[in-house]
Amino acid sequence: MKVIVDATIVSREAGSFGNVSGSIDLSAEPRIGDTISFNSTKAGSDLPPGFNGLVRVRKRVLTAGGDPHGPLIELEDIEVQSVEDAQALISYLEHAFN
């Protein structure tokens, strides 16, 4: 099932760093409180420092009339230690999940 995920990346060093969003495939539609694993088996995709790959679903937004890209799944903030870790996280997510 396709869903659109959205999360804020926060650095302990610098505060709010940025936002990641995009369409991903999941085996089922996640509910509030569920955890999505972003652990990838894709070659060259090692988890960046400070990120265990697990992110909890905070909110689910369903579009009236349906959305061909699936529901919007808002995730909890992803917190890492440094700006470099935040940049590595973004690079990891882009490479592993487009």
Side-chain angles (χ1 to χ4, degrees):
M1 148 166 265
K2 273 219 182 291
V3 299
I4 302 165
V5 293
D6 183 72
T8 299
I9 297 176
V10 178
S11 160
R12 289 186 192 118
E13 226 176 51
S16 184
F17 180 81
N19 186 276
V20 293
S21 63
S23 181
I24 61 170
D25 287 312
L26 296 174
S27 57
E29 183 179 323
R31 306 267 184 211
I32 295 169
D34 284 350
T35 300
I36 296 176
S37 171
F38 287 93
N39 290 296
S40 175
T41 58
K42 198 174 200 179
S45 293
D46 295 327
L47 285 173
F51 180 60
N52 68 2
L54 303 175
V55 186
R56 187 172 300 273
V57 175
R58 180 189 322 189
K59 188 189 297 184
R60 216 167 55 123
V61 180
L62 306 175
T63 304
D67 187 326
H69 302 292
L72 172 63
I73 305 299
E74 291 186 18
L75 303 174
E76 289 185 346
D77 293 350
I78 304 171
E79 188 174 318
V80 294
Q81 185 65 39
S82 67
V83 170
E84 291 79 18
D85 293 344
Q87 290 168 331
L89 174 59
I90 288 172
S91 179
Y92 167 79
L93 292 171
E94 286 175 345
H95 176 74
F97 301 99
N98 296 323

